Amino acid sequence: MENTVQAPMTGILSGLLNAEELTPLNRLTFLGSHNSYDQDYSPVEQIDTFGCRAIEFDINHLKGGDKWSVNHNGGYNPDPNVQIEAYLNALNDWHNKPGNADHDPIIIYLDLKTVEHSEVDLTMALEENIRNCFPPNDAAFFKPADLIGDCQNLHEGAIINGWPTLAQLRGKFILVLTGDGESKKNYANHAPRHRLCFADMDMDDQQLFPFDVDKNRVFFNYRNFDTDLIRDQVYNNASFIRCYPAAKAYAAHRKVCSPAR
């Protein structure tokens, strides 16, 4: 979505029937915005007014420092209005607003544009910034460890434990690193039980991910609209799928909510 916000459609999380409250997150269909910071409406307005349940921030790291700015191009921007804390603090204020305690789960995609750290330093620098903006003890987040449980890795946890339901995830944020391929790969596989964020993977057309290669990523981006392929990835591999662009993705992904026959 480029500088526009899609109007809400049937199938977004708010107002779902009780049966859907018991549906695992990865089998629900909902709207998300792309470059959420660069729209005509703020990310909070996109959530409240337009029904988005996934938002995205492009982030750039300050070389030699621990700061991150939200912008698409040009590397780190020192403008205080575009620091990641400004956007995350706004989301935390919304989270703590009276009446929002049981809000729908919100996915926050953090798209790594400029990364100046190793995966270990990235972990410390980014996670500390995020944690400073939210309540203590990570209470606002659904984290990789919550899905892994007693299993060995995320894929096994998703298959054996299953994704939590909409009802179980109310009041939670889910953080997902996207963007720079090597950085998010290293992040995902560095002590995953201790990570704050998940990390995604970009998929080619007609590709099902071989989980014997990387068992610590369960979020995937698809640019094609092969509903049989997506359905197989969701139901057989317990994956969470993001499809785009928005209009075609919604039409394709909507069918995923019905089990394969």
Side-chain angles (χ1 to χ4, degrees), residues 1 21-22 32 34 46 60 71 79 87 101 112 117 122 165 183 185 204 209 224 229 231 233-234 242-243 252:
M1 187 171 70
E21 288 283 326
L22 303 178
H34 180 63
Q46 292 168 45
N60 294 268
N71 51 289
D79 183 343
Y87 294 93
L112 301 168
H117 275 332
L122 169 68
T165 64
S183 293
K185 175 183 176 181
D204 295 330
F209 187 66
N224 72 68
L229 173 71
R231 184 184 294 113
Q233 189 79 315
V234 168
R242 177 169 66 159
C243 296

Side-chain angles (χ1 to χ4, degrees), residues 90-107:
L91 289 172
N92 184 51
D93 290 343
W94 172 83
H95 170 77
N96 290 319
K97 185 178 177 181
N100 280 357
D102 294 326
H103 64 73
D104 292 341
I106 304 297
I107 297 176

Side-chain angles (χ1 to χ4, degrees), residues 13 16-23 104 165-168 170:
L13 298 191
L16 289 179
L17 299 177
N18 189 52
E20 288 173 306
E21 288 283 326
L22 303 178
T23 301
D104 292 341
T165 64
L166 171 61
Q168 291 170 325
R170 288 203 167 278

Side-chain angles (χ1 to χ4, degrees), residues 4 23 56 73 87 124 154-155 196 250-251:
T4 60
T23 301
E56 181 195 54
N73 296 314
Y87 294 93
M124 300 301 293
L154 274 170
H155 175 57
L196 184 60
Y250 181 82

